[in-house]
């Protein structure tokens, strides 16, 4: 029987990689609250966990870009701040939040374009758009979770994009994580960094914000589509070459084994020996 400390160590390890239900694994909420909250907070923020918040119709993304402290997060779309129970993923104490007015108009324009993009290209995807005048950046976080337990796999797509309006510099980090667990336990985790720049006409000046936002999201769309196509091609190559090389499809004779004939031979040999 594992000790409480050993359970915590095991749960923390699994949580940061491909977490099971740690409440079931440890079976002691008080122990979790006391020892594993740091790992839970890190996981929820890093994985862009999504939750339901009382009084807000849409699901809310948990990210470091809207994080006030360990337990309080901002939903930029509704201009609300709430407290999060990281263990149970329950939101409480919802209050109004005053946005960064100097960048709110641009943030809303990008948010509108991102909402259209995620609706059109991600079946169950969510996007959140944050803005900070102190950093001079607009940040987009996108997450799409797909769970298929009947087929023994789960997957998560995450992407984070930043736009520096004054320079037009765009940075992106794309991540895909797939967990397949039929007759085994296989994980695929991949990521890609992207650096781009908006066309000069969208940088500074009096160009309409809606057009600047559309150009930013068009760049996101092109980059994510290209990366997803490259992943699909890589998976096909793995299936056709790498994985096949691990095990022969046919024996050296290049003939499939007739197991019925072999069984007949075996039975005949056993009968003749009696």
């Amino acid at each position: 029987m594992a000790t409480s400390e050993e359970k915590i160590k095991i749960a923390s390890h699994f949580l940061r990689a491909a977490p099971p239900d740690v409440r079931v694994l440890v079976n002691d909420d008080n122990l979790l609250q006391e020892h594993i909250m740091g790992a839970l907070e890190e996981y929820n923020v890093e994985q862009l966990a999504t939750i339901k918040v009382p009084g807000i119709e849409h699901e809310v993304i948990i990210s470091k870009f809207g994080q006030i402290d360990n337990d309080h997060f901002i939903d930029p779309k509704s201009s609300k701040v709430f407290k999060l129970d990281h263990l149970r993923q329950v939101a409480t104490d919802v209050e109004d939040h005053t946005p960064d007015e100097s960048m709110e108009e641009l943030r809303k324009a990008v948010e509108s374009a991102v909402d259209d993009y995620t609706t059109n290209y991600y079946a169950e995807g969510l996007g959140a758009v944050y803005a900070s005048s102190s950093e001079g950046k607009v940040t987009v976080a996108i997450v799409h979770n797909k769970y298929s337990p009947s087929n023994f796999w789960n997957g998560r797509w995450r992407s984070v994009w930043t736009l520096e309006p004054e320079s037009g510099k765009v940075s992106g980090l794309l991540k895909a994580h797939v967990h397949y667990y039929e007759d085994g336990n296989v994980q695929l985790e991949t990521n890609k960094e992207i650096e781009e720049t908006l066309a000069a006409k969208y940088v500074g000046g009096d160009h309409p914000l809606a057009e600047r936002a559309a150009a930013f999201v068009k760049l996101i769309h092109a980059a994510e589509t290209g990366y997803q196509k490259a992943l699909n091609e890589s998976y096909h190559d793995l299936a056709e070459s790498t994985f096949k090389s691990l095990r022969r499809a046919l024996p050296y004779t290049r003939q499939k084994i007739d197991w019925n004939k072999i069984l007949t031979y075996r039975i005949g040999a056993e009968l003749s020996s009696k």
Side-chain angles (χ1 to χ4, degrees):
M1 175 69 70
T3 65
S4 296
E5 290 73 17
E6 289 171 335
K7 289 181 181 180
I8 289 296
K9 185 176 181 180
I10 292 169
S12 296
H13 171 75
F14 280 125
L15 180 62
R16 290 187 172 94
D21 186 334
V22 293
R23 294 181 70 190
V24 173
L25 179 63
V26 179
N27 196 30
D28 187 334
D29 280 3
N30 291 330
L31 194 63
L32 282 170
Q33 291 279 8
E34 183 179 355
H35 296 285
I36 207 173
M37 290 308 297
L40 283 168
E41 292 165 9
E42 179 183 336
Y43 175 77
N44 287 335
V45 171
E46 173 62 23
Q47 295 295 320
L48 300 179
T50 60
I51 66 164
K52 290 284 190 179
V53 177
I56 299 179
E57 294 183 359
H58 56 269
E59 282 194 86
V60 176
I61 293 177
I62 302 300
S63 82
K64 65 181 181 181
F65 309 105
Q67 188 169 15
I68 298 175
D69 56 36
N70 290 345
D71 302 325
H72 291 85
F73 294 84
I74 298 168
D75 173 38
K77 181 177 292 187
S78 63
S79 294
K80 299 289 186 181
V81 61
F82 57 90
K83 182 178 181 180
L84 176 66
D85 180 331
H86 287 277
L87 176 60
R88 299 171 183 81
Q89 290 200 332
V90 173
T92 57
D93 300 344
V94 182
E95 299 179 354
D96 291 333
H97 170 73
T98 302
D100 188 337
E101 293 296 343
S102 64
M103 298 189 71
E104 184 63 4
E105 190 176 355
L106 175 58
R107 192 204 65 77
K108 285 185 175 179
V110 174
E111 181 177 81
S112 177
V114 168
D115 285 347
D116 289 342
Y117 170 59
T118 54
T119 298
N120 291 330
Y121 293 97
Y122 290 93
E124 300 171 25
L126 295 174
V129 181
Y130 310 85
S132 171
S133 58
S134 61
E135 296 182 355
K137 293 180 180 180
V138 173
T139 303
V140 176
I142 296 173
V143 61
H144 183 198
N145 300 306
K146 184 67 176 180
Y147 303 110
S148 185
S150 61
N151 294 309
F152 306 101
W153 67 266
N154 298 314
R156 173 173 291 153
W157 167 275
R158 288 169 289 157
S159 61
V160 173
W161 294 88
T162 60
L163 166 65
E164 298 178 13
E166 293 302 317
S167 65
K169 181 181 178 181
V170 174
S171 300
L173 177 59
L174 317 181
K175 295 183 178 182
H177 190 178
V178 179
H179 180 204
Y180 182 74
Y181 48 92
E182 182 179 19
D183 296 328
N185 183 19
V186 178
Q187 292 189 67
L188 172 67
E189 191 166 9
T190 180
N191 62 77
K192 181 177 183 179
E193 295 184 7
I194 294 175
E195 298 290 339
E196 293 281 356
T197 304
L198 289 183
K201 65 179 180 179
Y202 297 117
V203 181
D206 298 320
H207 208 88
L209 294 181
E211 293 185 23
R212 185 188 301 186
F216 177 32
V217 174
K218 183 178 180 180
L219 189 155
I220 291 174
H221 175 207
E224 294 192 349
T225 299
Y227 184 48
Q228 290 172 8
K229 287 182 177 178
L231 286 177
N232 289 337
E233 292 172 0
S234 296
Y235 299 157
H236 181 268
D237 291 344
L238 283 172
E240 293 299 316
S241 57
T242 306
F243 290 156
K244 283 188 175 181
S245 69
L246 298 176
R247 182 180 183 274
R248 292 181 180 278
L250 294 172
Y252 281 107
T253 61
R254 309 300 296 171
Q255 299 292 323
K256 291 185 177 180
I257 296 174
D258 188 336
W259 293 104
N260 290 326
K261 186 178 293 186
I262 287 177
L263 181 60
T264 302
Y265 290 157
R266 180 180 177 185
I267 292 174
E270 289 178 351
L271 289 175
S272 63
S273 64
K274 293 181 179 178

